[in-house]
Amino acid sequence: MRDLFSTLHTPRGLATALILLVLAVLPLLTQAFDQRYLLSIGTRIVIWSIAAVSLNMILGYGGLVSFGHAMFFGIGGYAVGILSAEGVSSGWIQWPVALLAATAWAAVIGALSLRTRGLYFIMITLAFAQLVYYVGSGLEAYGGDDGLNIGRSRFPGLIDLRDKASFYWLCFALLCASLWFCSRYANSHFGLVLRGAKSNELRMTALGFPVFRYRLAAFTIAGTLGGLSGILLANEGAYVSPAMMSWMKSGDLIVIVVLGGMGTLFGPLYGTIAFFVLEEALPPILNLIHKGWGEYWMIVFGPLLVLIALYARGGIDSLLGRDNERAGHD
């Protein structure tokens, strides 16, 4: 990946630098303008961006359309929630257990689902996600369908996650680390093989590359990052519920990645920002036009996605300049 500061003269470089700068100082801006609610929205954007980056690793670079990626949200979140309910509040225990659970589940699901292709892969990932969803709904000891209120993870002497600004900066730091990791991932030998298999699996197999193992490793890594976003989401709201791993959340993640630009480094970030901005802005705008129309904002949002799909095949990333290569080729 080219260094961001060397591409500031391009529309993409300027937009990305500005976005990262605003995100870096968002707690200070919300405090200065007394708009604390915007910090909550910003925190959700950062967390969902991490999840979108993780999905982009297999969807954008590997061509694997997983319709169950939100299950890793749930596994990470519920691991934290269950430990919290059992009296284990230390983040030093909660977070490694949650990440290990998400990683193990991703490895198992990947080993089974990656033996299929196309529509069958989509359906089997959806089936496993629904399985996890109904398991969560059946955990009556941990709230069942109503969900579970939890305490935030504790890191004594290091960081207080109850402080919204501190928690936000932790999430932002993890997003930056995720983007850095994704840039290394995309440009490594591993990433090149994965992208080659997306273009022509038979040719990569004929060249002697174990495509299945590469895809399984990618799926497992993506599941781990998805679990991390679930951990953060659980701590952000101090609450977990089966709704966080429903098929609709998985659909939202796919929309975000496609909206921002599949197979691009910052596309997931662009897509997440656009998704949440439209989600927050469209209802009040529609209510100004006619009272009560705000609840139908998705009717407007849908055609906007269609227009982007028709006229911007590379998503928002492609609208920021055709002179730039995709992140995976930088």
PDB file of all heavy atoms in Angstrom, residues 71-83 90-106 153 223-232 234-235:
ATOM      1  N   MET A  71     -22.609 -13.617  12.590  1.00  0.00           N
ATOM      2  CA  MET A  71     -22.568 -14.592  13.687  1.00  0.00           C
ATOM      3  C   MET A  71     -21.303 -14.402  14.524  1.00  0.00           C
ATOM      4  O   MET A  71     -21.286 -14.713  15.717  1.00  0.00           O
ATOM      5  CB  MET A  71     -22.645 -16.020  13.149  1.00  0.00           C
ATOM      6  CG  MET A  71     -21.506 -16.469  12.278  1.00  0.00           C
ATOM      7  SD  MET A  71     -21.742 -18.184  11.726  1.00  0.00           S
ATOM      8  CE  MET A  71     -20.812 -18.184  10.180  1.00  0.00           C
ATOM      9  N   PHE A  72     -20.244 -13.870  13.909  1.00  0.00           N
ATOM     10  CA  PHE A  72     -19.019 -13.625  14.672  1.00  0.00           C
ATOM     11  C   PHE A  72     -19.192 -12.437  15.613  1.00  0.00           C
ATOM     12  O   PHE A  72     -18.565 -12.384  16.668  1.00  0.00           O
ATOM     13  CB  PHE A  72     -17.849 -13.428  13.721  1.00  0.00           C
ATOM     14  CG  PHE A  72     -17.640 -14.593  12.798  1.00  0.00           C
ATOM     15  CD1 PHE A  72     -17.758 -14.446  11.422  1.00  0.00           C
ATOM     16  CD2 PHE A  72     -17.364 -15.851  13.309  1.00  0.00           C
ATOM     17  CE1 PHE A  72     -17.590 -15.527  10.575  1.00  0.00           C
ATOM     18  CE2 PHE A  72     -17.187 -16.943  12.470  1.00  0.00           C
ATOM     19  CZ  PHE A  72     -17.310 -16.776  11.096  1.00  0.00           C
ATOM     20  N   PHE A  73     -20.038 -11.471  15.209  1.00  0.00           N
ATOM     21  CA  PHE A  73     -20.492 -10.438  16.139  1.00  0.00           C
ATOM     22  C   PHE A  73     -21.003 -11.099  17.411  1.00  0.00           C
ATOM     23  O   PHE A  73     -20.621 -10.764  18.525  1.00  0.00           O
ATOM     24  CB  PHE A  73     -21.665  -9.674  15.516  1.00  0.00           C
ATOM     25  CG  PHE A  73     -21.309  -8.363  14.891  1.00  0.00           C
ATOM     26  CD1 PHE A  73     -20.018  -7.892  14.835  1.00  0.00           C
ATOM     27  CD2 PHE A  73     -22.308  -7.571  14.343  1.00  0.00           C
ATOM     28  CE1 PHE A  73     -19.716  -6.680  14.249  1.00  0.00           C
ATOM     29  CE2 PHE A  73     -22.025  -6.353  13.754  1.00  0.00           C
ATOM     30  CZ  PHE A  73     -20.723  -5.910  13.706  1.00  0.00           C
ATOM     31  N   GLY A  74     -21.966 -12.007  17.178  1.00  0.00           N
ATOM     32  CA  GLY A  74     -22.659 -12.637  18.298  1.00  0.00           C
ATOM     33  C   GLY A  74     -21.753 -13.480  19.160  1.00  0.00           C
ATOM     34  O   GLY A  74     -21.856 -13.458  20.396  1.00  0.00           O
ATOM     35  N   ILE A  75     -20.870 -14.253  18.539  1.00  0.00           N
ATOM     36  CA  ILE A  75     -19.981 -15.119  19.314  1.00  0.00           C
ATOM     37  C   ILE A  75     -19.045 -14.294  20.182  1.00  0.00           C
ATOM     38  O   ILE A  75     -18.861 -14.575  21.378  1.00  0.00           O
ATOM     39  CB  ILE A  75     -19.189 -16.038  18.368  1.00  0.00           C
ATOM     40  CG1 ILE A  75     -20.139 -17.050  17.722  1.00  0.00           C
ATOM     41  CG2 ILE A  75     -18.071 -16.758  19.119  1.00  0.00           C
ATOM     42  CD1 ILE A  75     -19.522 -17.878  16.639  1.00  0.00           C
ATOM     43  N   GLY A  76     -18.448 -13.258  19.597  1.00  0.00           N
ATOM     44  CA  GLY A  76     -17.580 -12.387  20.390  1.00  0.00           C
ATOM     45  C   GLY A  76     -18.333 -11.681  21.494  1.00  0.00           C
ATOM     46  O   GLY A  76     -17.877 -11.623  22.643  1.00  0.00           O
ATOM     47  N   GLY A  77     -19.500 -11.146  21.153  1.00  0.00           N
ATOM     48  CA  GLY A  77     -20.304 -10.422  22.140  1.00  0.00           C
ATOM     49  C   GLY A  77     -20.826 -11.316  23.246  1.00  0.00           C
ATOM     50  O   GLY A  77     -20.756 -10.958  24.431  1.00  0.00           O
ATOM     51  N   TYR A  78     -21.344 -12.488  22.872  1.00  0.00           N
ATOM     52  CA  TYR A  78     -21.898 -13.387  23.881  1.00  0.00           C
ATOM     53  C   TYR A  78     -20.830 -14.004  24.774  1.00  0.00           C
ATOM     54  O   TYR A  78     -21.085 -14.289  25.955  1.00  0.00           O
ATOM     55  CB  TYR A  78     -22.734 -14.481  23.216  1.00  0.00           C
ATOM     56  CG  TYR A  78     -24.216 -14.150  23.213  1.00  0.00           C
ATOM     57  CD1 TYR A  78     -24.780 -13.452  22.166  1.00  0.00           C
ATOM     58  CD2 TYR A  78     -25.038 -14.505  24.278  1.00  0.00           C
ATOM     59  CE1 TYR A  78     -26.126 -13.123  22.160  1.00  0.00           C
ATOM     60  CE2 TYR A  78     -26.382 -14.185  24.290  1.00  0.00           C
ATOM     61  CZ  TYR A  78     -26.927 -13.497  23.230  1.00  0.00           C
ATOM     62  OH  TYR A  78     -28.256 -13.168  23.238  1.00  0.00           O
ATOM     63  N   ALA A  79     -19.634 -14.224  24.227  1.00  0.00           N
ATOM     64  CA  ALA A  79     -18.554 -14.731  25.079  1.00  0.00           C
ATOM     65  C   ALA A  79     -18.253 -13.742  26.194  1.00  0.00           C
ATOM     66  O   ALA A  79     -18.097 -14.118  27.367  1.00  0.00           O
ATOM     67  CB  ALA A  79     -17.306 -14.988  24.237  1.00  0.00           C
ATOM     68  N   VAL A  80     -18.215 -12.449  25.832  1.00  0.00           N
ATOM     69  CA  VAL A  80     -18.004 -11.403  26.837  1.00  0.00           C
ATOM     70  C   VAL A  80     -19.191 -11.338  27.789  1.00  0.00           C
ATOM     71  O   VAL A  80     -19.029 -11.244  29.015  1.00  0.00           O
ATOM     72  CB  VAL A  80     -17.795 -10.032  26.154  1.00  0.00           C
ATOM     73  CG1 VAL A  80     -17.838  -8.896  27.179  1.00  0.00           C
ATOM     74  CG2 VAL A  80     -16.468 -10.004  25.409  1.00  0.00           C
ATOM     75  N   GLY A  81     -20.412 -11.404  27.229  1.00  0.00           N
ATOM     76  CA  GLY A  81     -21.617 -11.291  28.042  1.00  0.00           C
ATOM     77  C   GLY A  81     -21.777 -12.427  29.033  1.00  0.00           C
ATOM     78  O   GLY A  81     -22.125 -12.205  30.200  1.00  0.00           O
ATOM     79  N   ILE A  82     -21.531 -13.645  28.588  1.00  0.00           N
ATOM     80  CA  ILE A  82     -21.694 -14.805  29.470  1.00  0.00           C
ATOM     81  C   ILE A  82     -20.653 -14.770  30.593  1.00  0.00           C
ATOM     82  O   ILE A  82     -20.969 -15.024  31.764  1.00  0.00           O
ATOM     83  CB  ILE A  82     -21.588 -16.114  28.661  1.00  0.00           C
ATOM     84  CG1 ILE A  82     -22.815 -16.267  27.758  1.00  0.00           C
ATOM     85  CG2 ILE A  82     -21.454 -17.317  29.590  1.00  0.00           C
ATOM     86  CD1 ILE A  82     -22.730 -17.419  26.783  1.00  0.00           C
ATOM     87  N   LEU A  83     -19.419 -14.440  30.238  1.00  0.00           N
ATOM     88  CA  LEU A  83     -18.391 -14.342  31.286  1.00  0.00           C
ATOM     89  C   LEU A  83     -18.730 -13.232  32.277  1.00  0.00           C
ATOM     90  O   LEU A  83     -18.530 -13.391  33.490  1.00  0.00           O
ATOM     91  CB  LEU A  83     -17.025 -14.079  30.645  1.00  0.00           C
ATOM     92  CG  LEU A  83     -16.388 -15.262  29.919  1.00  0.00           C
ATOM     93  CD1 LEU A  83     -15.129 -14.832  29.182  1.00  0.00           C
ATOM     94  CD2 LEU A  83     -16.057 -16.384  30.907  1.00  0.00           C
ATOM     95  N   SER A  90     -12.871  -9.177  34.087  1.00  0.00           N
ATOM     96  CA  SER A  90     -11.564  -8.780  33.583  1.00  0.00           C
ATOM     97  C   SER A  90     -11.505  -8.929  32.057  1.00  0.00           C
ATOM     98  O   SER A  90     -11.753 -10.012  31.509  1.00  0.00           O
ATOM     99  CB  SER A  90     -10.465  -9.631  34.215  1.00  0.00           C
ATOM    100  OG  SER A  90      -9.214  -9.358  33.598  1.00  0.00           O
ATOM    101  N   GLY A  91     -11.157  -7.839  31.383  1.00  0.00           N
ATOM    102  CA  GLY A  91     -10.989  -7.897  29.940  1.00  0.00           C
ATOM    103  C   GLY A  91      -9.830  -8.768  29.515  1.00  0.00           C
ATOM    104  O   GLY A  91      -9.815  -9.297  28.393  1.00  0.00           O
ATOM    105  N   TRP A  92      -8.850  -8.942  30.407  1.00  0.00           N
ATOM    106  CA  TRP A  92      -7.698  -9.793  30.090  1.00  0.00           C
ATOM    107  C   TRP A  92      -8.115 -11.247  29.946  1.00  0.00           C
ATOM    108  O   TRP A  92      -7.379 -12.045  29.334  1.00  0.00           O
ATOM    109  CB  TRP A  92      -6.627  -9.661  31.165  1.00  0.00           C
ATOM    110  CG  TRP A  92      -6.077  -8.280  31.316  1.00  0.00           C
ATOM    111  CD1 TRP A  92      -6.218  -7.438  32.378  1.00  0.00           C
ATOM    112  CD2 TRP A  92      -5.294  -7.549  30.351  1.00  0.00           C
ATOM    113  NE1 TRP A  92      -5.581  -6.248  32.153  1.00  0.00           N
ATOM    114  CE2 TRP A  92      -5.007  -6.281  30.909  1.00  0.00           C
ATOM    115  CE3 TRP A  92      -4.815  -7.846  29.071  1.00  0.00           C
ATOM    116  CZ2 TRP A  92      -4.255  -5.323  30.238  1.00  0.00           C
ATOM    117  CZ3 TRP A  92      -4.077  -6.889  28.393  1.00  0.00           C
ATOM    118  CH2 TRP A  92      -3.794  -5.647  28.974  1.00  0.00           C
ATOM    119  N   ILE A  93      -9.255 -11.602  30.522  1.00  0.00           N
ATOM    120  CA  ILE A  93      -9.791 -12.960  30.369  1.00  0.00           C
ATOM    121  C   ILE A  93     -10.882 -12.979  29.295  1.00  0.00           C
ATOM    122  O   ILE A  93     -10.899 -13.833  28.409  1.00  0.00           O
ATOM    123  CB  ILE A  93     -10.363 -13.483  31.705  1.00  0.00           C
ATOM    124  CG1 ILE A  93      -9.257 -13.568  32.758  1.00  0.00           C
ATOM    125  CG2 ILE A  93     -11.019 -14.849  31.510  1.00  0.00           C
ATOM    126  CD1 ILE A  93      -9.744 -13.964  34.129  1.00  0.00           C
ATOM    127  N   GLN A  94     -11.799 -12.005  29.372  1.00  0.00           N
ATOM    128  CA  GLN A  94     -12.933 -11.976  28.453  1.00  0.00           C
ATOM    129  C   GLN A  94     -12.509 -11.905  26.988  1.00  0.00           C
ATOM    130  O   GLN A  94     -12.985 -12.684  26.154  1.00  0.00           O
ATOM    131  CB  GLN A  94     -13.828 -10.775  28.775  1.00  0.00           C
ATOM    132  CG  GLN A  94     -14.595 -10.861  30.074  1.00  0.00           C
ATOM    133  CD  GLN A  94     -15.454  -9.625  30.283  1.00  0.00           C
ATOM    134  OE1 GLN A  94     -15.342  -8.626  29.575  1.00  0.00           O
ATOM    135  NE2 GLN A  94     -16.326  -9.681  31.285  1.00  0.00           N
ATOM    136  N   TRP A  95     -11.619 -10.977  26.680  1.00  0.00           N
ATOM    137  CA  TRP A  95     -11.304 -10.727  25.272  1.00  0.00           C
ATOM    138  C   TRP A  95     -10.568 -11.888  24.606  1.00  0.00           C
ATOM    139  O   TRP A  95     -10.935 -12.298  23.505  1.00  0.00           O
ATOM    140  CB  TRP A  95     -10.515  -9.416  25.137  1.00  0.00           C
ATOM    141  CG  TRP A  95     -11.356  -8.194  25.394  1.00  0.00           C
ATOM    142  CD1 TRP A  95     -12.339  -8.047  26.327  1.00  0.00           C
ATOM    143  CD2 TRP A  95     -11.286  -6.938  24.700  1.00  0.00           C
ATOM    144  NE1 TRP A  95     -12.888  -6.789  26.268  1.00  0.00           N
ATOM    145  CE2 TRP A  95     -12.260  -6.091  25.284  1.00  0.00           C
ATOM    146  CE3 TRP A  95     -10.487  -6.450  23.677  1.00  0.00           C
ATOM    147  CZ2 TRP A  95     -12.456  -4.776  24.845  1.00  0.00           C
ATOM    148  CZ3 TRP A  95     -10.677  -5.147  23.238  1.00  0.00           C
ATOM    149  CH2 TRP A  95     -11.656  -4.313  23.819  1.00  0.00           C
ATOM    150  N   PRO A  96      -9.532 -12.473  25.253  1.00  0.00           N
ATOM    151  CA  PRO A  96      -8.892 -13.639  24.624  1.00  0.00           C
ATOM    152  C   PRO A  96      -9.841 -14.819  24.450  1.00  0.00           C
ATOM    153  O   PRO A  96      -9.796 -15.506  23.415  1.00  0.00           O
ATOM    154  CB  PRO A  96      -7.758 -13.983  25.607  1.00  0.00           C
ATOM    155  CG  PRO A  96      -7.448 -12.700  26.298  1.00  0.00           C
ATOM    156  CD  PRO A  96      -8.775 -12.025  26.450  1.00  0.00           C
ATOM    157  N   VAL A  97     -10.721 -15.049  25.439  1.00  0.00           N
ATOM    158  CA  VAL A  97     -11.685 -16.150  25.319  1.00  0.00           C
ATOM    159  C   VAL A  97     -12.640 -15.900  24.157  1.00  0.00           C
ATOM    160  O   VAL A  97     -12.934 -16.803  23.365  1.00  0.00           O
ATOM    161  CB  VAL A  97     -12.471 -16.330  26.640  1.00  0.00           C
ATOM    162  CG1 VAL A  97     -13.649 -17.280  26.446  1.00  0.00           C
ATOM    163  CG2 VAL A  97     -11.554 -16.858  27.739  1.00  0.00           C
ATOM    164  N   ALA A  98     -13.122 -14.661  24.051  1.00  0.00           N
ATOM    165  CA  ALA A  98     -14.051 -14.316  22.978  1.00  0.00           C
ATOM    166  C   ALA A  98     -13.387 -14.449  21.609  1.00  0.00           C
ATOM    167  O   ALA A  98     -13.980 -14.973  20.662  1.00  0.00           O
ATOM    168  CB  ALA A  98     -14.579 -12.897  23.181  1.00  0.00           C
ATOM    169  N   LEU A  99     -12.150 -13.964  21.497  1.00  0.00           N
ATOM    170  CA  LEU A  99     -11.434 -14.067  20.221  1.00  0.00           C
ATOM    171  C   LEU A  99     -11.148 -15.520  19.866  1.00  0.00           C
ATOM    172  O   LEU A  99     -11.262 -15.919  18.695  1.00  0.00           O
ATOM    173  CB  LEU A  99     -10.121 -13.281  20.290  1.00  0.00           C
ATOM    174  CG  LEU A  99     -10.256 -11.755  20.333  1.00  0.00           C
ATOM    175  CD1 LEU A  99      -8.888 -11.108  20.550  1.00  0.00           C
ATOM    176  CD2 LEU A  99     -10.878 -11.234  19.038  1.00  0.00           C
ATOM    177  N   LEU A 100     -10.800 -16.313  20.877  1.00  0.00           N
ATOM    178  CA  LEU A 100     -10.538 -17.732  20.641  1.00  0.00           C
ATOM    179  C   LEU A 100     -11.814 -18.449  20.193  1.00  0.00           C
ATOM    180  O   LEU A 100     -11.775 -19.287  19.275  1.00  0.00           O
ATOM    181  CB  LEU A 100      -9.982 -18.377  21.907  1.00  0.00           C
ATOM    182  CG  LEU A 100      -9.610 -19.869  21.800  1.00  0.00           C
ATOM    183  CD1 LEU A 100      -8.522 -20.066  20.746  1.00  0.00           C
ATOM    184  CD2 LEU A 100      -9.133 -20.397  23.157  1.00  0.00           C
ATOM    185  N   ALA A 101     -12.946 -18.104  20.819  1.00  0.00           N
ATOM    186  CA  ALA A 101     -14.216 -18.725  20.442  1.00  0.00           C
ATOM    187  C   ALA A 101     -14.591 -18.382  19.001  1.00  0.00           C
ATOM    188  O   ALA A 101     -15.009 -19.244  18.223  1.00  0.00           O
ATOM    189  CB  ALA A 101     -15.325 -18.269  21.397  1.00  0.00           C
ATOM    190  N   ALA A 102     -14.437 -17.097  18.624  1.00  0.00           N
ATOM    191  CA  ALA A 102     -14.764 -16.676  17.260  1.00  0.00           C
ATOM    192  C   ALA A 102     -13.826 -17.340  16.253  1.00  0.00           C
ATOM    193  O   ALA A 102     -14.261 -17.771  15.173  1.00  0.00           O
ATOM    194  CB  ALA A 102     -14.669 -15.157  17.146  1.00  0.00           C
ATOM    195  N   THR A 103     -12.554 -17.437  16.603  1.00  0.00           N
ATOM    196  CA  THR A 103     -11.571 -18.052  15.708  1.00  0.00           C
ATOM    197  C   THR A 103     -11.875 -19.538  15.505  1.00  0.00           C
ATOM    198  O   THR A 103     -11.857 -20.041  14.369  1.00  0.00           O
ATOM    199  CB  THR A 103     -10.151 -17.890  16.274  1.00  0.00           C
ATOM    200  OG1 THR A 103      -9.870 -16.501  16.448  1.00  0.00           O
ATOM    201  CG2 THR A 103      -9.118 -18.511  15.351  1.00  0.00           C
ATOM    202  N   ALA A 104     -12.155 -20.245  16.606  1.00  0.00           N
ATOM    203  CA  ALA A 104     -12.439 -21.680  16.526  1.00  0.00           C
ATOM    204  C   ALA A 104     -13.701 -21.942  15.707  1.00  0.00           C
ATOM    205  O   ALA A 104     -13.735 -22.845  14.860  1.00  0.00           O
ATOM    206  CB  ALA A 104     -12.580 -22.261  17.933  1.00  0.00           C
ATOM    207  N   TRP A 105     -14.750 -21.130  15.951  1.00  0.00           N
ATOM    208  CA  TRP A 105     -15.996 -21.318  15.214  1.00  0.00           C
ATOM    209  C   TRP A 105     -15.789 -21.017  13.732  1.00  0.00           C
ATOM    210  O   TRP A 105     -16.314 -21.732  12.865  1.00  0.00           O
ATOM    211  CB  TRP A 105     -17.081 -20.440  15.808  1.00  0.00           C
ATOM    212  CG  TRP A 105     -18.438 -20.628  15.184  1.00  0.00           C
ATOM    213  CD1 TRP A 105     -19.135 -19.732  14.439  1.00  0.00           C
ATOM    214  CD2 TRP A 105     -19.264 -21.787  15.274  1.00  0.00           C
ATOM    215  NE1 TRP A 105     -20.344 -20.259  14.049  1.00  0.00           N
ATOM    216  CE2 TRP A 105     -20.443 -21.520  14.545  1.00  0.00           C
ATOM    217  CE3 TRP A 105     -19.117 -23.043  15.888  1.00  0.00           C
ATOM    218  CZ2 TRP A 105     -21.473 -22.460  14.410  1.00  0.00           C
ATOM    219  CZ3 TRP A 105     -20.136 -23.981  15.752  1.00  0.00           C
ATOM    220  CH2 TRP A 105     -21.295 -23.686  15.034  1.00  0.00           C
ATOM    221  N   ALA A 106     -15.032 -19.978  13.421  1.00  0.00           N
ATOM    222  CA  ALA A 106     -14.761 -19.643  12.024  1.00  0.00           C
ATOM    223  C   ALA A 106     -13.999 -20.767  11.333  1.00  0.00           C
ATOM    224  O   ALA A 106     -14.263 -21.085  10.162  1.00  0.00           O
ATOM    225  CB  ALA A 106     -13.972 -18.335  11.944  1.00  0.00           C
ATOM    226  N   SER A 153     -16.059  -4.523  30.103  1.00  0.00           N
ATOM    227  CA  SER A 153     -14.799  -5.193  30.446  1.00  0.00           C
ATOM    228  C   SER A 153     -13.903  -4.239  31.225  1.00  0.00           C
ATOM    229  O   SER A 153     -13.880  -3.030  30.968  1.00  0.00           O
ATOM    230  CB  SER A 153     -14.076  -5.652  29.173  1.00  0.00           C
ATOM    231  OG  SER A 153     -14.895  -6.517  28.414  1.00  0.00           O
ATOM    232  N   GLY A 223     -13.113 -14.186  10.615  1.00  0.00           N
ATOM    233  CA  GLY A 223     -13.957 -14.492  11.773  1.00  0.00           C
ATOM    234  C   GLY A 223     -13.405 -13.933  13.068  1.00  0.00           C
ATOM    235  O   GLY A 223     -14.148 -13.456  13.925  1.00  0.00           O
ATOM    236  N   THR A 224     -12.082 -13.956  13.207  1.00  0.00           N
ATOM    237  CA  THR A 224     -11.441 -13.400  14.406  1.00  0.00           C
ATOM    238  C   THR A 224     -11.694 -11.901  14.503  1.00  0.00           C
ATOM    239  O   THR A 224     -12.062 -11.387  15.571  1.00  0.00           O
ATOM    240  CB  THR A 224      -9.929 -13.675  14.379  1.00  0.00           C
ATOM    241  OG1 THR A 224      -9.696 -15.081  14.269  1.00  0.00           O
ATOM    242  CG2 THR A 224      -9.265 -13.145  15.641  1.00  0.00           C
ATOM    243  N   LEU A 225     -11.509 -11.192  13.383  1.00  0.00           N
ATOM    244  CA  LEU A 225     -11.767  -9.747  13.388  1.00  0.00           C
ATOM    245  C   LEU A 225     -13.250  -9.454  13.594  1.00  0.00           C
ATOM    246  O   LEU A 225     -13.611  -8.463  14.240  1.00  0.00           O
ATOM    247  CB  LEU A 225     -11.286  -9.117  12.079  1.00  0.00           C
ATOM    248  CG  LEU A 225      -9.832  -8.654  12.029  1.00  0.00           C
ATOM    249  CD1 LEU A 225      -9.527  -8.010  10.685  1.00  0.00           C
ATOM    250  CD2 LEU A 225      -9.517  -7.694  13.155  1.00  0.00           C
ATOM    251  N   GLY A 226     -14.109 -10.310  13.050  1.00  0.00           N
ATOM    252  CA  GLY A 226     -15.546 -10.155  13.307  1.00  0.00           C
ATOM    253  C   GLY A 226     -15.863 -10.328  14.781  1.00  0.00           C
ATOM    254  O   GLY A 226     -16.696  -9.609  15.342  1.00  0.00           O
ATOM    255  N   GLY A 227     -15.193 -11.287  15.424  1.00  0.00           N
ATOM    256  CA  GLY A 227     -15.375 -11.480  16.861  1.00  0.00           C
ATOM    257  C   GLY A 227     -14.908 -10.277  17.652  1.00  0.00           C
ATOM    258  O   GLY A 227     -15.532  -9.886  18.651  1.00  0.00           O
ATOM    259  N   LEU A 228     -13.801  -9.647  17.208  1.00  0.00           N
ATOM    260  CA  LEU A 228     -13.314  -8.433  17.872  1.00  0.00           C
ATOM    261  C   LEU A 228     -14.357  -7.320  17.800  1.00  0.00           C
ATOM    262  O   LEU A 228     -14.608  -6.630  18.795  1.00  0.00           O
ATOM    263  CB  LEU A 228     -12.010  -7.973  17.220  1.00  0.00           C
ATOM    264  CG  LEU A 228     -11.449  -6.639  17.700  1.00  0.00           C
ATOM    265  CD1 LEU A 228     -11.100  -6.691  19.183  1.00  0.00           C
ATOM    266  CD2 LEU A 228     -10.221  -6.239  16.882  1.00  0.00           C
ATOM    267  N   SER A 229     -14.971  -7.147  16.639  1.00  0.00           N
ATOM    268  CA  SER A 229     -16.005  -6.112  16.516  1.00  0.00           C
ATOM    269  C   SER A 229     -17.203  -6.436  17.403  1.00  0.00           C
ATOM    270  O   SER A 229     -17.842  -5.532  17.949  1.00  0.00           O
ATOM    271  CB  SER A 229     -16.437  -5.962  15.053  1.00  0.00           C
ATOM    272  OG  SER A 229     -16.911  -7.180  14.526  1.00  0.00           O
ATOM    273  N   GLY A 230     -17.510  -7.730  17.580  1.00  0.00           N
ATOM    274  CA  GLY A 230     -18.588  -8.119  18.492  1.00  0.00           C
ATOM    275  C   GLY A 230     -18.266  -7.795  19.939  1.00  0.00           C
ATOM    276  O   GLY A 230     -19.130  -7.359  20.703  1.00  0.00           O
ATOM    277  N   ILE A 231     -17.014  -7.999  20.323  1.00  0.00           N
ATOM    278  CA  ILE A 231     -16.562  -7.635  21.672  1.00  0.00           C
ATOM    279  C   ILE A 231     -16.763  -6.138  21.905  1.00  0.00           C
ATOM    280  O   ILE A 231     -17.285  -5.718  22.950  1.00  0.00           O
ATOM    281  CB  ILE A 231     -15.077  -8.004  21.853  1.00  0.00           C
ATOM    282  CG1 ILE A 231     -14.888  -9.515  21.841  1.00  0.00           C
ATOM    283  CG2 ILE A 231     -14.527  -7.417  23.156  1.00  0.00           C
ATOM    284  CD1 ILE A 231     -13.435  -9.949  21.783  1.00  0.00           C
ATOM    285  N   LEU A 232     -16.350  -5.349  20.942  1.00  0.00           N
ATOM    286  CA  LEU A 232     -16.472  -3.895  21.067  1.00  0.00           C
ATOM    287  C   LEU A 232     -17.924  -3.463  21.076  1.00  0.00           C
ATOM    288  O   LEU A 232     -18.311  -2.567  21.838  1.00  0.00           O
ATOM    289  CB  LEU A 232     -15.725  -3.213  19.917  1.00  0.00           C
ATOM    290  CG  LEU A 232     -14.210  -3.444  19.869  1.00  0.00           C
ATOM    291  CD1 LEU A 232     -13.618  -2.837  18.604  1.00  0.00           C
ATOM    292  CD2 LEU A 232     -13.539  -2.860  21.109  1.00  0.00           C
ATOM    293  N   ALA A 234     -20.493  -5.190  22.109  1.00  0.00           N
ATOM    294  CA  ALA A 234     -21.067  -5.558  23.402  1.00  0.00           C
ATOM    295  C   ALA A 234     -20.686  -4.552  24.474  1.00  0.00           C
ATOM    296  O   ALA A 234     -21.506  -4.168  25.317  1.00  0.00           O
ATOM    297  CB  ALA A 234     -20.608  -6.962  23.799  1.00  0.00           C
ATOM    298  N   ASN A 235     -19.449  -4.099  24.450  1.00  0.00           N
ATOM    299  CA  ASN A 235     -18.995  -3.119  25.438  1.00  0.00           C
ATOM    300  C   ASN A 235     -19.558  -1.734  25.171  1.00  0.00           C
ATOM    301  O   ASN A 235     -19.783  -0.962  26.102  1.00  0.00           O
ATOM    302  CB  ASN A 235     -17.463  -3.060  25.452  1.00  0.00           C
ATOM    303  CG  ASN A 235     -16.839  -4.145  26.305  1.00  0.00           C
ATOM    304  OD1 ASN A 235     -16.762  -4.027  27.519  1.00  0.00           O
ATOM    305  ND2 ASN A 235     -16.421  -5.225  25.658  1.00  0.00           N
TER     306      ASN A 235
END
